[in-house]
């Protein structure tokens, strides 16, 4: 059952081939069998089975949606009513959310079955899932390598078939990078397309939730449920939601693909370049035209991001003070002691590093030199994309510089870790949508192809990804031991 697509699962449930209770039990069993991957922080076994019973009744009454009865797992950054929401941090290890995030609420209304909450880098800060308070997640393709981050639990769970599908969030690459490292399909929607209400904030002007699944076809089904205006999120965009599955089979003849010369410079690893070239050739065969584009400011994306994201995080994380929610230190002697020890003991190293960097960048005297400058660069980067997207329909490139790296390999060197997002971060600064799809293997590890489109062109991106997945089978490979 775990090898089926979401459409096949919905069909199996409706035709009575299996029930949602059976399907849920099957996934719960796999989660137990493969606990060593550390993909889940919390498994909600009891509520999952209760939800499955309700879903089965709903299916029997003919009131099902495309997701009714389908087991899903949520990244532990989405608040879930009465269920622990840790955000991968000790400071929220005891936090039970009093409400559901809009995304969670939407899946609940659709009748999806929540299997549990997925492991992630602490407060979504990381590219390897090693900053999680709950320990590193292992990549099912090679358990000595990272699954990527920060949605590493989501990547590993979908690749290992420990959930039919999952959610992730992407501030600088956290959906696309783990999708690439785990050989699955992940979409970072346009900023404002998916509600951020109840999604614990890291860098609010960059954060965006999105779907992670095996194929573009599955991702389209998930996005259909996740997308849409939410009055509870002031940055949510009030724009109608198209039918994401309707255009999947549109032909690609005449599609104009741009390849940024800055992405395909000599710095790109030669195996990676060869794999991507093969993928782009498939698109040529499908009738696409390929041309070079230039985005001169792309090289400034990492430095600009590592001012803006920490600045926003330093403000967002000030709410964790040991008073209102989360961890509180023992026997504080006064208020300052309460704040400093609760935060000092509750936050991990990477989170503290970001808070310090961000506070510094925002302080009087440095604000103009760092924060304002970074915002100006952000505009230049957006303009580069705008310009390129007047010449071509979509931009393609790598997702990551290399396939998954070893656990422990980069964690001691933050700069090296930050560079693993060199191809994804600019897209968040511009607020654009982008997909990662499996496009081959290097030394047995999956490689992703990134497809970047214009604002709110998710339907087109999914169409482009789906057409590739009709002529290739990279997205159907399963890691050994998880078949
Ligand atoms: N790796 C990047 C960071 O640590 C991006 C993380 C993300 O997208 N949440 O900030």
């Amino acid at each position: 059952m775990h090898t089926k697509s979401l459409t096949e699962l919905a069909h199996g449930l409706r035709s009575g081939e299996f029930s949602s209770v059976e399907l849920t039990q099957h996934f719960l069993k796999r989660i137990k069998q493969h606990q060593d991957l550390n993909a889940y922080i919390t498994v909600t076994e009891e509520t999952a089975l209760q939800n499955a019973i309700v879903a089965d009744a709903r299916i029997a009454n003919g009131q099902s949606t495309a997701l009714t009865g389908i087991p899903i797992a949520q990244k532990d950054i989405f608040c879930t009513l009465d269920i622990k929401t840790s955000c991968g941090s000790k400071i929220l290890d005891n936090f039970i959310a009093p409400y559901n995030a809009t995304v969670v609420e939407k899946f609940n209304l659709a009748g999806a079955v929540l299997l549990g909450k997925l492991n992630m880098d602490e407060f979504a800060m990381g590219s390897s899932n090693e900053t999680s308070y709950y320990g590193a997640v292992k990549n099912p393709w090679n358990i000595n390598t990272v699954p990527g981050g920060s949605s590493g639990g989501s990547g590993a769970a979908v690749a290992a078939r420990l959930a039919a599908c999952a959610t992730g969030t992407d501030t600088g690459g956290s959906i696309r990078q783990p999708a690439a490292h785990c050989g699955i399909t992940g979409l970072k929607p346009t900023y404002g397309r998916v509600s951020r209400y109840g999604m614990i904030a890291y860098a609010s002007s960059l954060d965006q939730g999105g779907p992670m699944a095996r194929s573009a076809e599955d991702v389209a089904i998930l996005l259909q449920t996740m997308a849409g205006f939410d009055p509870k999120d002031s940055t949510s965009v009030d724009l109608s939601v198209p039918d994401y599955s309707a255009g999947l089979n549109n032909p690609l003849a005449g599609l104009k693909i741009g390849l940024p010369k800055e992405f395909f410079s000599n710095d790109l690893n030669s195996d990676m370049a060869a794999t991507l070239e093969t993928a782009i050739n498939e698109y040529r065969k499908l009738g696409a035209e390929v041309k070079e584009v230039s985005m001169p400011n792309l090289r400034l994306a990492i430095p600009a991001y590592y001012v803006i994201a920490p600045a926003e995080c330093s403000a967002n994380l000030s709410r964790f003070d040991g008073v209102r929610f989360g961890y509180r230190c023992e026997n504080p002697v006064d208020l300052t002691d309460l704040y400093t020890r609760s935060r000092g003991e509750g936050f991990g190293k990477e989170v503290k590093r970001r808070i310090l960097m961000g506070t510094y960048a925002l302080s009087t005297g440095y604000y103009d030199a760092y924060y304002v400058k970074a915002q100006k660069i952000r505009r230049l980067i957006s303009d580069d994309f705008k310009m390129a997207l007047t010449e071509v329909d979509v931009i393609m490139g790598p997702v990551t510089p290399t396939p998954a790296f070893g656990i422990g390999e980069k964690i001691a060197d933050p700069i090296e870790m930050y560079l693993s997002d060199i191809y994804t971060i600019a897209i968040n600064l511009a607020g654009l949508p982008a997909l990662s799809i499996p496009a081959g293997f290097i030394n047995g590890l999956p490689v992703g192809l990134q497809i970047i489109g214009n604002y709110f062109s998710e339907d087109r991106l999914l169409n482009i990804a789906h057409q590739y997945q009709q002529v290739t089978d990279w997205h159907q490979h399963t890691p050994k031991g998880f078949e």
Side-chain angles (χ1 to χ4, degrees), residues 289-306:
E289 293 163 30
V290 179
K291 69 179 261 186
E292 188 180 270
V293 291
S294 174
M295 296 196 275
N297 296 299
L298 277 182
R299 64 188 177 85
L300 300 172
I302 295 238
Y305 175 90
Y306 278 101

Side-chain angles (χ1 to χ4, degrees), residues 124-127 150 169-174 202 305-306 354 421 425:
M125 298 172 196
S127 311
S150 63
T169 62
D170 193 312
T171 304
S174 281
Y202 159 17
Y305 175 90
Y306 278 101
R354 308 263 178 127
D421 298 315
I425 269 179

